Amino acid sequence: MERKKVTISDFMKKKEKGEKISMMTAYDYPTASLVDQAGIDAILVGDSLAMVVLGYDGTVPVTMDEMLHHSKAVVRGAAHSFVIGDMPFMSYQVSPENAVANAGRFIKEAGCAAVKLEGGTEMAPVVRAIVTAGIPVCAHIGLTPQTATKLSGFKVQGKDAEGARELVESARELEKAGAFMIVLECIPDVVSARITEALNIPTIGIGAGKYCDGQVLVYHDLVGLFERFTPKMVKQYVNLAPMVREALIQYRKEVEEGVFPGPEHSFSMKAEEADKM
Ligand code: KIV
């Protein structure tokens, strides 16, 4: 069957039918192509780019220009998956006007289908402004890494009744503001179940248990290419780093020993031409 480009109405239909939505991060063309070929519904060009690709300690330093540069490559590789560009820290907090202008760059310059931004009820006016400009917004609540310092670190959120109530309230406000989807990061599964039930829009979990409408993971965690640490919520499906390291060591040795390139990787010239040369 011919695969069509995934749309927002496909996400809504999946939620209605109880079918799970798959989302994966990607930051470049080859990864986006593989994610797309795997039939994954949505690709998030996450600001986790800052850590897993650019080598920063956190997500705060990544810039609009860096996010756009990587989003463009992802869009070129995603023939079918729905691509969401993650708005970096301070690209949407200054004012709703500034947020709309930056969100517009993800759509016009990078070719993303939607943007994502972090924050609860306080971000509802920003979500409303971007949606009013015609740009779909995916919200993100719970552990919001851009403001982890304010949350006193990378901690599970909504662990007491009051915190959980605030998360449900935030999710409702963000849906009312026009968000088409919401990421729930690091919250107890009973709380994400409550949010998922309360909303008409799909919830996408990361460290938020199985009751969400879909799941997202960071690509480098899933394939074992980020070795600094592995959070509890990550399932590593393959451990590529040792394999890649071994291949690189073998290459270095073969170069040093003159084994590579062999005749099968070299180009020849007719003997008479070589003689003339
Ligand atoms: O930046 C990112 O990769 C994210 C996901 C973890 C949801 O925001």
Side-chain angles (χ1 to χ4, degrees), residues 25 27 44 46-48 86 116 140 183 185 206 216 218:
T25 69
Y27 317 94
L44 172 66
D47 64 351
S48 46
D86 206 2
K116 175 173 89 57
H140 180 163
V183 168
E185 179 163 354
I206 175 160
V216 58
V218 169

Side-chain angles (χ1 to χ4, degrees), residues 43-57:
I43 299 182
L44 172 66
V45 191
D47 64 351
S48 46
L49 164 74
M51 299 173 79
V52 299
V53 174
L54 302 180
Y56 290 113
D57 283 341

Side-chain angles (χ1 to χ4, degrees), residues 18-244:
E19 291 172 10
K20 297 286 183 185
I21 298 165
S22 53
M23 184 189 286
M24 177 54 45
T25 69
Y27 317 94
D28 58 33
Y29 171 82
T31 310
S33 305
L34 291 173
V35 173
D36 191 87
Q37 286 160 32
I40 290 179
D41 297 311
I43 299 182
L44 172 66
V45 191
D47 64 351
S48 46
L49 164 74
M51 299 173 79
V52 299
V53 174
L54 302 180
Y56 290 113
D57 283 341
T59 57
V60 166
V62 75
T63 65
M64 270 300 295
D65 286 342
E66 286 165 336
M67 290 302 304
L68 291 174
H69 176 77
H70 287 266
S71 299
K72 285 178 195 173
V74 168
V75 167
R76 288 193 282 268
H80 310 95
S81 307
F82 186 93
V83 180
I84 304 172
D86 206 2
M87 298 193 71
F89 185 57
M90 293 317 283
S91 70
Y92 55 95
Q93 292 89 342
V94 176
S95 68
E97 293 74 21
N98 181 246
V100 172
N102 282 321
R105 293 189 68 196
F106 276 98
I107 310 300
K108 264 181 90 102
E109 294 176 37
C112 290
V115 296
K116 175 173 89 57
L117 57 84
E118 295 180 5
T121 306
E122 74 288 357
M123 280 299 152
V126 176
V127 170
R128 192 168 289 112
I130 299 175
V131 173
T132 304
I135 299 169
V137 177
C138 172
H140 180 163
I141 60 169
L143 172 56
T144 45
Q146 293 177 6
T147 46
T149 315
K150 199 171 124 197
L151 303 174
S152 300
F154 291 81
K155 291 184 182 156
V156 177
Q157 301 295 304
K159 280 178 84 173
D160 56 17
E162 180 53 21
R165 199 196 54 73
E166 276 173 27
L167 285 174
V168 177
E169 187 55 29
S170 282
R172 285 210 176 102
E173 289 302 317
L174 290 160
E175 176 176 50
K176 263 197 247 158
F180 75 97
M181 178 180 267
I182 182 162
V183 168
L184 308 179
E185 179 163 354
C186 284
I187 64 177
D189 56 0
V190 287
V191 181
S192 45
R194 180 67 66 85
I195 296 172
T196 301
E197 265 169 35
L199 301 187
N200 293 312
I201 58 171
T203 58
I204 306 292
I206 175 160
K210 64 177 185 178
Y211 304 112
C212 298
D213 297 306
Q215 297 293 326
V216 58
L217 277 178
V218 169
Y219 172 80
H220 289 64
D221 291 335
L222 176 134
V223 299
L225 279 177
F226 184 68
E227 293 189 292
R228 245 164 45 202
F229 57 88
T230 308
K232 173 178 154 73
M233 67 227 188
V234 168
K235 179 168 176 186
Q236 193 183 80
Y237 285 77
V238 59
N239 192 8
L240 288 184
M243 294 184 216
V244 174

Side-chain angles (χ1 to χ4, degrees), residues 267-277:
F267 302 99
S268 58
M269 189 189 212
K270 284 193 181 122
E272 69 253 35
E273 290 301 322
D275 286 347
K276 273 193 249 166
M277 178 179 75

